[in-house]
Amino acid sequence: MHPLIVALALVAAAPATAHAQAAEPDPVAGLRSLLARGAGATAEFYGQASTDLSKEVQLSNGRRTVIGSGMGVRGTGKVKLGRAGVIASEHTRQLGVGGKELMVEEAAKDPYFAGVLATVGTLRSISVGGWQYQLAPGAKTWVRTGRASGAAAAYGDQFINVLEMATLRKLLATKPRKIVGPWLKDHTTGRKQRIYTLTGTIKLKELYRVSPSFREAAGTASLGTSEVTWTYMYDDRGWPYRVGWRFYAHPRPAVPGLGHDRILRGHLATQYRNWDKPMTITAPQAKPGRGLAVDDLADVLSAPERRK
């Protein structure tokens, strides 16, 4: 074969083999690089939580069935990083309640469920400059609710903050299961990438010990032995791609529901994109005021004991 033809054939084959030869990314180094340059990202999140509220009802055909009540949450947001972690965040959250009549009945004696009902609809939150801001469902004016970290708006529904170096190192130290995905094109960004997936478990009291954002969200919660299963996905650059948690209460071995059995099952996942684009989060015009009593899933952890 002519030398030029051989050379062209080798050049053409190089892109097909380059991915296979790439070194496996280090998620710690990937996060460190994002923190160092003050990167930001857009976020999408979605989740559900099932409560212990239930009632037997009779259907129109005469049969009886049990109905329950639960919450569905979804939305979008932004995070902005500094050298120590998230320095600003924005969260637009849409909450719906299924079996709402059961929750309305319970709300008469349980302030937690009364607080959940007050957040049905669209809630916007911003944390920046050491302050938290809220625009409650149906409200037209932002309220500055008090002092808060830059992560406060984004972490509450999401328990697992992999943008904190200490939290990420703790998760990696649990020796999670790993799956390496194939090279695929992201349907939103169009970038060809490989995703690495880690899955493990962590007790909430261990997460509370290492994660400042979880401590802020959970408050003075009594976490007992509850644990969540977590999943962390990062790309071939070591950059965060998706993080999620899920929780199940069960009788054997005994695992009580969260918040004195209020939530028996729950899960939430957050997807990050656009780490390579500029990100700015600014404070809205707002007046000082009181924030909502329940504005994220983590609030169940510090809910008071239930009245019998």
Side-chain angles (χ1 to χ4, degrees):
M1 183 180 290
H2 193 281
L4 179 59
I5 297 176
V6 173
L8 289 174
L10 291 173
V11 170
T17 60
H19 289 321
Q21 296 171 354
E24 185 167 317
D26 177 356
V28 171
L31 176 59
R32 188 182 295 117
S33 70
L34 295 175
L35 295 172
R37 65 180 177 85
T42 58
E44 302 171 24
F45 59 93
Y46 51 89
Q48 291 183 326
S50 299
T51 74
D52 72 336
L53 304 179
S54 63
K55 181 171 66 174
E56 187 179 80
V57 298
Q58 186 171 348
L59 303 177
S60 58
N61 61 7
R63 295 184 177 180
R64 304 191 70 81
T65 188
V66 176
I67 61 172
S69 182
M71 299 166 277
V73 61
R74 61 186 175 87
T76 58
K78 303 175 184 177
V79 291
K80 172 70 174 176
L81 303 184
R83 288 192 173 275
V86 179
I87 61 171
S89 57
E90 186 174 325
H91 199 64
T92 300
R93 175 191 199 247
Q94 294 179 320
L95 177 75
V97 172
K100 190 174 181 179
E101 66 278 8
L102 296 178
M103 195 173 291
V104 171
E105 292 176 10
E106 190 70 11
K109 61 179 180 180
D110 191 326
Y112 170 74
F113 287 117
V116 170
L117 291 171
T119 63
V120 171
T122 301
L123 168 64
R124 295 187 63 192
S125 302
I126 294 176
S127 299
V128 63
W131 294 94
Q132 173 122 356
Y133 304 85
Q134 283 187 347
L135 183 64
K140 298 185 182 299
T141 304
W142 284 87
V143 174
R144 193 184 70 197
T145 62
R147 304 295 297 183
S149 76
Y155 296 94
D157 287 325
Q158 179 56 263
F159 295 177
I160 310 293
N161 185 356
V162 292
L163 306 181
E164 295 168 334
M165 187 61 76
T167 301
L168 178 59
R169 289 184 184 277
K170 176 64 177 179
L171 297 179
L172 297 177
T174 64
K175 298 181 179 179
R177 300 183 299 278
K178 178 188 285 187
I179 297 175
V180 180
W183 288 93
L184 296 171
K185 182 179 290 187
D186 184 279
H187 71 278
T188 299
T189 65
R191 180 180 179 272
K192 196 167 186 180
Q193 61 189 4
R194 167 171 277 173
I195 301 300
Y196 298 77
T197 302
L198 305 178
T199 304
T201 59
I202 187 169
K203 292 187 183 304
L204 290 181
K205 64 182 180 182
E206 294 176 358
L207 184 63
Y208 192 94
R209 191 176 301 122
V210 300
S211 173
S213 60
F214 184 64
R215 288 196 295 272
E216 184 177 30
T220 56
S222 177
L223 301 173
T225 59
S226 297
E227 67 179 20
V228 294
T229 299
W230 57 268
T231 299
Y232 177 44
M233 303 168 70
Y234 56 95
D235 67 14
D236 51 286
R237 300 167 292 189
W239 294 1
Y241 182 71
R242 183 181 299 164
V243 62
W245 61 266
R246 62 183 184 272
F247 167 83
Y248 299 96
H250 46 81
R252 283 190 292 272
V255 176
L258 301 178
H260 304 284
D261 275 335
R262 288 178 174 91
I263 291 181
L264 302 182
R265 293 179 301 279
H267 66 87
L268 190 120
T270 303
Q271 174 93 46
Y272 297 109
R273 289 192 174 95
N274 300 314
W275 285 112
D276 50 355
K277 295 183 179 180
M279 178 61 63
T280 302
I281 297 174
T282 58
Q285 291 189 340
K287 59 182 182 181
R290 185 184 297 274
L292 295 169
V294 177
D295 57 12
D296 55 45
L297 294 176
D299 283 329
V300 74
L301 301 172
S302 56
E305 289 193 31
R306 306 175 80 170
R307 291 164 51 187
K308 302 298 184 182

